[in-house]
Amino acid sequence: MADAKVIPFDDDRSRARRRPPVPGGGDAAVRALPAQQPPAGAPAEPAAGSAGWERRLAGGLAFLRRRVTGDYEVDEFGYDKELTDQVLMSMLRPVYEKYFRVEVKGVENIPKDGGALVVSNHSGTLPLDGLMMQVAVHDHHPAGRHLRLLAADLVFMLPVVNELARKAGHTLACSEDAERLLRAGEIVGVMPEGFKGIGKPFAERYKLQRFGRGGFVSTALRAGVPIVPCSIVGAEEIYPMLGNAKTLARVLGLPYFPLTPTFPWLGPMGALPLPTKWTIQFGEPIPTDGYPLEAAEDPMLMFNLTDQVREQIQHTLYKLLVQRRSVFF
């Protein structure tokens, strides 16, 4: 298989190809064209459903041909936009729409262009919340933006998962990569609670853990991009974590080994998440472009902004919990 073409990251947006306008086109021109009648004895045109199926088949074959010949592009982080749009999002969308029935609010608070840092709570034992947030931005943002998540080291140490994460546009959770993405005008997602949030006991659900040292605020200040708080309700209940086998976790090199009502007691079936009803709400952006360059080095400012983001996420979580009818509906 041929290698894909690696393109400079900053040129990612300059490759859009648009079909040139047809002179004199538009609805009026179409109405003016005489109806074309098939010649006598000619085979009938295929039905609309048949034509749609043929187009999908042709598109799929063209996609496979580009994969085999290497005629596709990835950026220097490994992001494969075509694979993400046509394959990975198609695989996640049924889980998003049918299984978790995600309701999205406030996605218009994410800027239609330029960089922004989306900061969200983290929960659920397995990081499905990040993937659902990625689908929410991809499918619902008016400008069709893409979310680039910052992931923990463990993600890039796992076989297969490492490659898929890179292809989907995710990168290591470090300030250097985050700042490069933001300066290039990308939407970057971060979950500052990390493993403390995703692996917390079920009894502490929807109680935000510590947001680290405010590194995400410093990154946003240096890049001059807004911070968009995001609150996710529903993920806490997909794997109710009742216990943690710490000895087994150390042996396996994991931050925790969850014990839930179904896992590991039911074997592989116990790994199936509960079909909870999710809500993802993006809050009003917090601007950072009005601060001077040296503000990124001010620990008191970083503390205050971090606390402001955390409080906004926590307040929205409580509000969404009061509004929801049940965990599953």
Side-chain angles (χ1 to χ4, degrees):
M1 181 180 295
D3 293 332
K5 292 178 285 187
V6 179
I7 49 102
F9 182 71
D10 291 336
D11 295 336
D12 191 39
R13 284 180 172 74
S14 64
R15 300 186 308 277
R17 298 182 178 88
R18 296 179 174 84
R19 183 177 299 173
V22 178
D27 293 342
V30 172
R31 288 194 297 268
L33 293 174
Q36 298 292 327
Q37 299 295 333
E45 291 291 330
S50 174
W53 181 85
E54 290 176 357
R55 283 194 298 269
R56 288 193 295 270
L57 178 60
L61 292 174
F63 172 80
L64 291 176
R65 182 173 62 251
R66 289 192 294 273
R67 294 284 120 184
V68 172
T69 61
D71 187 21
Y72 61 94
E73 297 173 340
V74 297
D75 70 16
E76 61 190 77
F77 290 91
Y79 175 44
D80 188 332
K81 183 179 183 300
E82 182 185 49
L83 183 70
T84 299
D85 290 346
Q86 298 194 24
V87 178
L88 301 182
M89 289 295 107
S90 298
M91 294 171 63
L92 292 172
R93 196 168 288 119
V95 180
Y96 174 93
E97 294 178 348
K98 306 298 183 183
Y99 198 80
F100 293 134
R101 295 148 292 146
V102 181
E103 179 183 359
V104 181
K105 300 179 179 181
V107 71
E108 67 278 359
N109 286 319
I110 297 176
K112 64 180 181 180
D113 52 36
L117 185 66
V118 177
V119 182
S120 173
N121 60 306
H122 204 15
S123 63
T125 305
L126 289 181
L128 299 181
D129 50 0
L131 298 177
M132 295 302 103
M133 186 167 63
Q134 186 181 16
V135 179
V137 175
H138 183 277
D139 286 3
H140 295 281
H141 193 276
R145 309 273 334 241
H146 293 77
L147 182 68
R148 309 287 293 268
L149 291 170
L150 303 179
D153 299 10
L154 181 61
V155 171
F156 300 101
M157 294 169 59
L158 299 173
V160 181
V161 174
N162 168 30
E163 186 67 19
L164 288 176
R166 290 289 184 188
K167 293 290 187 182
H170 312 325
T171 189
L172 191 64
C174 66
S175 57
E176 291 80 8
D177 283 1
E179 189 172 346
R180 289 176 63 199
L181 287 166
L182 291 170
R183 290 187 182 278
E186 296 288 337
I187 302 296
V188 177
V190 62
M191 295 172 164
E193 292 177 281
F195 289 122
K196 298 189 301 294
I198 198 174
K200 65 178 177 287
F202 186 65
E204 298 180 14
R205 59 194 180 278
Y206 298 114
K207 296 178 182 178
L208 292 182
Q209 305 299 299
R210 184 171 174 267
F211 266 27
R213 301 177 181 176
F216 68 91
V217 170
S218 176
T219 300
L221 285 169
R222 284 196 296 269
V225 300
I227 299 172
V228 181
C230 177
S231 302
I232 303 176
V233 164
E236 293 275 16
E237 295 91 359
I238 60 174
Y239 295 110
M241 187 169 165
L242 305 180
N244 178 16
K246 296 182 179 179
T247 302
L248 187 55
R250 284 196 297 269
V251 170
L252 297 176
L254 300 174
Y256 54 85
F257 189 90
L259 303 176
T260 76
T262 58
F263 183 83
W265 330 114
L266 299 183
M269 286 296 296
L272 188 68
L274 296 178
T276 58
K277 174 74 170 63
W278 287 34
T279 301
I280 300 178
Q281 179 162 335
F282 299 93
E284 293 186 6
I286 299 172
T288 66
D289 54 355
Y291 294 97
L293 293 177
E294 60 272 14
E297 309 301 327
D298 184 346
M300 185 56 67
L301 176 62
M302 286 194 292
F303 174 82
N304 290 335
L305 285 176
T306 300
D307 192 57
Q308 180 182 350
V309 174
R310 188 180 182 279
E311 287 300 317
Q312 187 168 333
I313 294 172
Q314 184 70 82
H315 176 75
T316 303
L317 285 175
Y318 287 148
K319 184 174 68 174
L320 293 175
L321 287 170
V322 170
Q323 292 174 351
R324 74 172 178 176
R325 293 176 297 171
S326 81
V327 173
F328 298 100
F329 303 102

